[in-house]
């Protein structure tokens, strides 16, 4: 019987991982199934561009995995039974269960409301394609002089505010920051960021925590209100509670606690990658939820799965966070390197060169998804013991 590998989620972490597993494991011994709720790959790093009106090319997951031996199951995950090694799903064909021998959990994250009243009812976000399209429709119907308030001074908030300001100069774009704008950046990069905000006409409300969102305004912690025809909530991410509800050991964030190889510390046949993994980096701190972390964790998880299944030594993939790459519209960006303690280094790259670099990163990620088994070896690794039973010599 083939070893059943089930990958939950086909975002950056899940899609790359499925392709890597298919590229390196023999289909004679393994059966790889990817479960995803929607039929298209979602370029999450560009959803603020989609919301602003830019059309992004859709990549059908069926086309992505065509010819790879990866099975695609379009369904929503509703639960996991780690004792029975099954995943409960629901889709167009109704409810079903999928059995697994190895599970890779890569369901990503969604917007974190933090319990703030009115966010769920009145705010928009750019953490999913459907929510970005909903915001796109609202912005398209907003006439000149309309006001857009972006809540959150993190990378998503900055990219969203600058994208909207550049694309829609007829709107008044504002950003509410709990602290100082770009406080984590080096002094020179911070000045670059402020110049970009000034150039694009983005108004910043620093040291302004938002305590409630209403249809036409946001209420700050000091009781003052900020008028807004549209409020975009970018104040953090949250993971789905399925992992915790299934009995896996999770952190306070709900992320699955994993060891250095991305293996669940409570259930050794389950691995996690991407935003849903509580992984400790080389600096002793949890990796941040980011596309970069998705890359590191999925490479480590797949390397560990392959090594353990084929009887090899588990390699250690570097888990070091190198820096932040922030788009400031289409023609400007900041690339800020950080040290081992995640403190910004004095050097940074900004302007058109940084923007071209960011564009290259986005294109590279898209091409990687489009060709998940690029460079597939002629012979792929057999599982430990399988070659002896079949009499076939194992590939190197």
């Amino acid at each position: 019987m083939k070893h059943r590998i089930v990958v939950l989620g086909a975002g950056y972490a899940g899609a790359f991982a499925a392709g890597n597993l298919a590229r390196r494991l023999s289909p004679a011994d393994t059966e790889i199934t990817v479960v995803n709720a929607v039929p298209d790959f979602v370029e999450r790093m560009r959803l603020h561009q989609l919301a602003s009106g830019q059309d992004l090319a859709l990549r059908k997951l069926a086309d992505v995995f065509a010819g790879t031996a990866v099975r695609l199951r379009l369904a929503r995950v509703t639960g996991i039974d780690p004792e029975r090694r099954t995943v409960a799903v629901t889709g167009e064909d109704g409810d079903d269960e999928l059995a697994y021998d190895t599970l890779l959990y890569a369901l990503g994250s969604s917007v974190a409301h933090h319990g703030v009243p009115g966010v769920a009812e009145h705010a928009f976000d750019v953490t999913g394609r459907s929510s970005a399209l909903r915001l796109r429709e609202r912005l398209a119907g907003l006439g000149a002089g309309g006001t857009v308030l972006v809540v959150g001074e993190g990378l998503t908030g900055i990219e969203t505010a600058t994208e909207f300001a550049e694309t829609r100069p007829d709107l008044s774009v504002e950003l509410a920051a709990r602290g100082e704008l770009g406080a984590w950046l080096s002094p020179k990069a911070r000045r670059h960021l402020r110049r970009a905000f000034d150039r694009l006409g983005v108004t910043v409300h620093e040291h302004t925590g938002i305590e409630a969102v209403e249809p036409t305004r946001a209420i700050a912690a000091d009781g003052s209100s900020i008028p807004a025809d549209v409020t975009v909530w970018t104040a953090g991410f949250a993971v789905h509670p399925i992992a915790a509800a299934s009995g896996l050991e999770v952190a306070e964030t709900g992320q699955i606690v994993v060891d250095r190889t991305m293996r669940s510390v409570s259930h050794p046949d389950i691995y996690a990658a991407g935003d849903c993994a509580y992984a400790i980096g080389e600096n002793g701190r949890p990796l941040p939820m980011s596309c970069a972390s998705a890359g590191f964790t999925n490479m480590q998880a797949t390397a560990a799965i392959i090594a353990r299944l084929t009887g090899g030594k588990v390699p250690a993939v570097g888990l070091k966070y190198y820096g932040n790459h922030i788009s400031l519209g289409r023609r400007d960006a900041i690339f800020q390197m950080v040290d081992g303690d995640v403190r910004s280094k004095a050097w940074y790259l900004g302007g058109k060169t940084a923007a071209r670099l960011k564009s290259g990163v986005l294109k590279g990620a898209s091409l990687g998804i489009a060709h998940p088994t690029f460079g597939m070896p002629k012979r792929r690794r057999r599982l430990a013991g399988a070659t002896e039973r079949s009499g076939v010599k194992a590939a190197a």
Side-chain angles (χ1 to χ4, degrees):
M1 182 177 179
K2 293 184 179 182
H3 188 94
R4 299 162 298 184
I5 301 175
V6 174
V7 180
L8 303 183
Y12 290 106
F16 276 122
N20 199 9
L21 292 167
R23 182 168 67 244
R24 298 168 63 188
L25 289 173
S26 171
D29 307 324
T30 55
E31 178 182 285
I32 303 170
T33 301
V34 175
V35 181
N36 202 61
V38 296
D40 307 309
F41 174 73
V42 177
E43 286 190 85
R44 186 165 176 177
M45 290 191 293
R46 300 182 64 190
L47 287 179
H48 59 291
Q49 297 177 356
L50 178 67
S52 73
Q54 181 179 353
D55 292 326
L56 304 182
L58 284 178
R59 294 195 185 279
K60 295 290 183 183
L61 290 172
D63 296 335
V64 167
F65 294 121
T68 66
V70 174
R71 300 182 178 186
L72 175 65
R73 181 65 180 271
L74 295 178
R76 181 171 56 86
V77 179
T78 57
I80 301 171
D81 187 335
E83 305 308 319
R84 295 175 53 237
R85 294 185 179 180
T86 59
V87 177
V89 300
T90 185
E92 292 183 354
D93 299 328
D95 299 338
D96 196 7
E97 275 191 346
L98 300 178
Y100 67 84
D101 298 301
T102 297
L103 181 70
L104 177 55
Y105 189 110
L107 289 178
S109 63
S110 59
V111 64
H113 295 163
H114 300 300
V116 176
V119 173
E121 297 83 2
H122 306 302
F124 296 79
D125 68 80
V126 290
T127 57
R129 180 175 173 81
S130 60
S131 59
L133 288 173
R134 176 172 164 261
L135 174 56
R136 176 187 177 122
E137 183 178 2
R138 179 70 180 95
L139 291 176
L142 199 59
T147 56
V148 177
L149 174 66
V150 178
V151 180
E153 70 274 27
L155 306 186
T156 304
I158 291 173
E159 291 195 335
T160 299
T162 52
E163 178 72 24
F164 289 0
E166 181 178 272
T167 305
R168 291 290 304 275
D170 59 317
L171 300 179
S172 175
V173 179
E174 304 180 21
L175 182 142
R178 279 191 172 274
E180 178 187 352
L181 178 67
W184 73 92
L185 295 170
S186 64
K188 290 183 179 180
R190 197 179 310 140
R191 287 194 291 271
H192 186 115
L193 176 64
R194 290 186 176 277
R195 287 196 299 269
F197 268 61
D198 290 341
R199 171 174 54 82
L200 294 169
V202 179
T203 300
V204 181
H205 304 273
E206 292 185 314
H207 308 289
T208 304
I210 299 301
E211 298 295 322
V213 176
E214 297 180 357
T216 59
R217 65 176 184 168
I219 309 301
D222 61 4
S224 62
S225 65
I226 304 175
D229 296 308
V230 176
T231 297
V232 184
W233 193 262
T234 67
F237 305 112
V239 299
H240 200 286
I242 285 179
S246 302
L248 279 68
E249 184 172 335
V250 299
E252 291 183 0
T253 57
Q255 295 168 289
I256 298 172
V257 180
V258 295
D259 63 15
R260 180 60 178 76
T261 68
M262 302 303 118
R263 197 180 206 177
S264 165
V265 298
S266 60
H267 294 81
D269 50 1
I270 297 178
Y271 294 76
D275 287 354
C276 55
Y278 188 79
I280 304 302
E282 295 176 8
N283 59 7
R285 301 179 184 181
L287 290 175
M289 294 186 186
S290 68
C291 185
S293 297
F296 301 144
T297 55
N298 99 71
M299 286 189 291
Q300 179 61 82
T302 53
I305 291 171
I306 292 164
R308 288 183 174 124
L309 291 182
T310 59
K313 181 180 178 180
V314 178
V317 175
L319 300 177
K320 183 178 180 181
Y321 195 74
Y322 291 95
N324 298 312
H325 205 161
I326 316 164
S327 295
L328 304 173
R330 310 287 173 84
R331 297 178 292 276
D332 194 4
I334 290 173
F335 183 60
Q336 175 68 73
M337 298 288 289
V338 299
D339 61 19
D341 293 320
V342 201
R343 293 176 301 194
S344 294
K345 295 182 178 180
W347 178 88
Y348 88 101
L349 181 67
K352 292 182 179 179
T353 301
R356 286 194 292 267
L357 178 60
K358 180 62 178 288
S359 177
V361 169
L362 294 173
K363 290 178 181 178
S366 179
L367 286 173
I369 292 295
H371 306 283
T373 55
F374 177 76
M376 180 185 291
K378 293 181 179 179
R379 292 190 299 171
R380 284 167 278 176
R381 298 184 186 180
R382 303 294 303 272
L383 300 198
T387 54
E388 287 78 2
R389 292 193 300 271
S390 65
V392 179
K393 185 178 179 180

